[in-house]
Amino acid sequence: MSDTPSKAQASPQGDVKTDLQAGLKAGTLDELYAESEHWQVNAGGETIHAKRLPGRWRRIKWLAASVWLIFFLGPYVRWDGRQAVLFDIPNRQYHLFGATVLPQDFWMLSLLLLFFAILLAVATALAGRVYCGFFCFQTVWTDIFTLIEEWLEGDPRQRRAFDRAPLSLYKVRVKSVKHLLWVLIGFATGWSFVAWFYGALPLWRDFFTGQANSAVYAFVALFTAGTYLLAGWLREQVCFWLCPYARIQGVMLDRTTLVPAYDLTRGEPRGRLRKGQDVIAGQQGDCIDCNQCVAVCPTGIDIRAGQQEGCITCALCLDACDQVMDKINRPRGLIRYASLDELEGQRVRPMLLRARVWLYVGILVLSVLGIGYGFSTLVSIELNVLHERSPLFVELSDGSIQNKYTLKVLNKSNDDLQARIAVSSPVPIEVRGIEHDLRIRHGEVTPMMVFIRIEREHLTGESIPIFFTADATLPDGTEARAERESAFFAPEP
């Protein structure tokens, strides 16, 4: 394709700034066709300057992207005098509002990851790559970066002209401001990521005074550079070449999946339309080949060519096409969310009749129930009892039998506690090692040795159940208890 000369190219260097700021306002079909000279599928050889149009799906896209405000503001939410959500990796503690999860409860994290993985799968099966188009951090950050670019350099036509314009003081100043804002956003991204693990308030205190450890500075620098590079420079190339999800989406779609699709039957044969001319039914399809769907696509694909790897299901082409349909007095929906069965005129199966949907929903429900059960059964202390295996028992000089146990008490609370250990059995026993309370530090496992002796006349078999109990009083006055059953071993009667 040949490039149409812009005003910036034809003007003297001193008038570049004026021409770039003036630009061209596309409002007629002739101007839309003029713009389409620049649009083509991008293979990495040039920068995609997507056109930004208001519309229903653009608003939905911004609302969905606003979920990422949690990423930036979440570390500043307080709960009981501390950060509400803090993944304290050095101390191996994960604080989730009022609950403290330790590595021993890692299985809940596994269920949480399973939940999000299946949620991603079911969303793709039902509506294509909606995560990519509306929630993915790469998509959201790129959208913000290009918005800044538009504020500073103008619309796509002006930006292309600005990139080709000779180097000048004005160009250096605008480019410098743009890249500085990109770097600041990247820094805010790295800062917020580290705050979830380090703590927002300690990070503000330690980072600028040089008291933070080297890992903190390394992660902030890594995320700053990564965000700047991926969202500012690579952009859609991340979706094409780096993101594995783009590669596997094909096996997650079926004929019933709703995706942005071009209605070939209604749109073809496409043909250009002159200003003031109406589409004649039967002679020309509704597609007037204005290429607005390509102009707004952040990855530069043509949705009319069918589903492609580059389509991230952002639905911006729907807004663009609907606006053109309004201008030529044709019904909306030439490009719409539709399934292959719908486009081919086949009967569309209801969502609730799809076996895969029920399977996905079942896994999601089980994951949520498992996570809920885990949080509902969280206790402040846990007790583990290890029986000495070599030897299983010792015969004392008076004929009695003695077993040795190692008790490990885990304190899951945020305070040091005093644990009271008790032992019981169906037969009379003598216990040594529990005479004093056990001091258990918060977030740590504290061991203790316990010896149990039973007279021979009380032995009723080779194994007798033994019950261990650990009790502790929390700072708020509530009692925490952990119980564990073990066994007492003896020789054959």
Side-chain angles (χ1 to χ4, degrees):
M1 294 185 180
S2 60
D3 291 336
T4 302
S6 64
K7 288 185 176 182
Q9 290 175 304
S11 303
Q13 183 174 348
D15 296 332
V16 169
K17 175 179 178 180
T18 303
D19 292 334
L20 288 174
Q21 291 175 336
L24 295 175
K25 295 183 179 179
T28 64
L29 290 175
D30 291 337
E31 290 169 333
L32 294 180
Y33 288 132
E35 279 192 305
S36 69
E37 294 289 331
H38 298 282
W39 302 327
Q40 56 183 315
V41 174
N42 179 40
E46 64 173 322
T47 301
I48 291 292
H49 290 294
K51 189 176 182 179
R52 306 181 75 91
L53 292 177
R56 173 192 178 194
W57 291 105
R58 166 55 74 179
R59 291 192 297 271
I60 294 176
K61 184 176 175 65
W62 279 122
L63 288 175
S66 65
V67 172
W68 282 100
L69 290 174
I70 299 175
F71 173 77
F72 291 99
L73 302 179
Y76 301 96
V77 177
R78 312 294 292 177
W79 187 275
D80 288 340
R82 70 181 182 195
Q83 188 167 313
V85 179
L86 176 63
F87 304 101
D88 190 356
I89 292 180
N91 295 318
R92 297 182 296 176
Q93 297 180 8
Y94 311 101
H95 304 290
L96 304 174
F97 294 92
T100 298
V101 181
L102 298 182
Q104 288 78 3
D105 300 309
F106 184 80
W107 61 273
M108 287 193 291
L109 176 60
S110 301
L111 286 179
L112 184 64
L113 295 177
L114 174 64
F115 172 81
F116 283 112
I118 297 301
L119 181 63
L120 194 62
V122 68
T124 304
L126 296 179
R129 297 172 63 186
V130 288
Y131 169 76
C132 293
F134 293 90
F135 298 99
C136 175
F137 54 88
Q138 171 66 19
T139 302
V140 174
W141 267 246
T142 299
D143 207 17
I144 294 174
F145 277 33
T146 54
L147 178 62
I148 292 174
E149 194 172 53
E150 183 170 282
W151 285 344
L152 295 173
E153 299 180 5
D155 59 31
R157 180 190 294 274
Q158 292 171 312
R159 296 203 297 271
R160 282 189 290 267
F162 194 45
D163 289 342
R164 293 191 297 264
L167 188 63
S168 64
L169 182 61
Y170 170 71
K171 184 173 183 178
V172 170
R173 185 169 67 251
V174 171
K175 292 287 186 182
S176 299
V177 172
K178 179 182 74 172
H179 287 281
L180 176 61
L181 292 176
W182 286 0
V183 170
L184 290 177
I185 293 176
F187 179 80
T189 302
W191 179 278
S192 300
F193 176 82
V194 172
W196 287 96
F197 298 89
Y198 194 86
L201 300 184
L203 185 60
W204 279 102
R205 181 191 64 220
D206 298 341
F207 188 88
F208 296 105
T209 59
Q211 300 180 33
N213 58 58
S214 57
V216 170
Y217 296 103
F219 271 99
V220 171
L222 179 64
F223 271 82
T224 301
T227 304
Y228 172 76
L229 178 64
L230 296 179
W233 290 92
L234 294 182
R235 299 186 182 182
E236 77 285 342
Q237 298 305 312
V238 175
C239 305
F240 277 116
W241 312 113
L242 298 182
C243 179
Y245 186 47
R247 303 295 184 181
I248 65 175
Q249 68 158 336
V251 300
M252 304 175 74
L253 308 182
D254 58 24
R255 298 180 60 87
T256 61
T257 302
L258 294 176
V259 292
Y262 168 67
D263 192 338
L264 192 67
T265 303
R266 175 184 158 186
E268 302 296 325
R270 73 184 73 161
R272 298 202 171 201
L273 190 66
R274 296 186 179 276
K275 185 177 180 181
Q277 180 183 352
D278 293 329
V279 175
I280 302 177
Q283 298 184 11
Q284 179 180 329
D286 285 350
C287 178
I288 61 172
D289 208 19
C290 65
N291 280 338
Q292 288 298 289
C293 55
V294 183
V296 299
C297 181
T299 61
I301 69 165
D302 189 342
I303 191 65
R304 296 171 297 178
Q307 273 299 301
Q308 302 162 61
E309 178 190 25
C311 179
I312 59 173
T313 321
C314 64
L316 296 179
C317 54
L318 276 67
D319 283 337
C321 187
D322 286 345
Q323 291 181 24
V324 173
M325 292 298 103
D326 291 343
K327 290 181 179 180
I328 64 174
N329 299 318
R330 299 298 297 165
R332 293 186 168 195
L334 177 60
I335 301 177
R336 63 184 184 274
Y337 267 100
S339 65
L340 182 60
D341 283 345
E342 178 187 342
L343 292 176
E344 293 182 352
Q346 300 184 22
R347 184 176 65 89
V348 179
R349 296 173 57 193
M351 182 185 303
L352 295 180
L353 295 182
R354 306 177 197 174
R356 182 162 59 167
V357 173
W358 282 103
L359 176 62
Y360 286 152
V361 171
I363 298 176
L364 288 176
V365 171
L366 290 177
S367 301
V368 172
L369 291 178
I371 296 171
Y373 170 79
F375 277 103
S376 64
T377 56
L378 280 177
V379 292
S380 298
I381 59 174
E382 281 190 3
L383 174 63
N384 192 19
V385 178
L386 303 177
H387 190 287
E388 182 72 26
R389 296 189 176 275
S390 181
L392 281 177
F393 58 86
V394 174
E395 184 175 358
L396 302 181
S397 59
D398 61 357
S400 61
I401 304 301
Q402 178 176 279
N403 282 198
K404 178 183 177 182
Y405 303 83
T406 301
L407 275 59
K408 294 187 176 182
V409 186
L410 171 63
N411 182 0
K412 291 185 174 182
S413 71
N414 299 314
D415 303 282
D416 295 345
L417 302 174
Q418 295 288 116
R420 302 176 295 276
I421 307 299
V423 186
S424 61
S425 176
V427 300
I429 60 175
E430 179 183 334
V431 184
R432 290 188 297 110
I434 62 172
E435 295 81 5
H436 303 285
D437 291 348
L438 180 65
R439 179 177 175 81
I440 48 178
R441 294 180 58 82
H442 66 279
E444 295 184 5
V445 175
T446 305
M448 72 178 302
M449 306 296 295
V450 175
F451 297 90
I452 299 178
R453 186 175 71 88
I454 300 180
E455 299 290 346
R456 269 193 179 273
E457 59 267 22
H458 297 144
L459 296 174
T460 58
E462 297 181 18
S463 177
I464 298 175
I466 301 291
F467 303 95
F468 294 85
T469 304
D471 293 282
T473 303
L474 301 179
D476 59 2
T478 59
E479 292 292 329
R481 165 170 286 202
E483 299 177 345
R484 182 73 65 177
E485 180 180 351
S486 186
F488 184 93
F489 295 98
E492 296 181 5

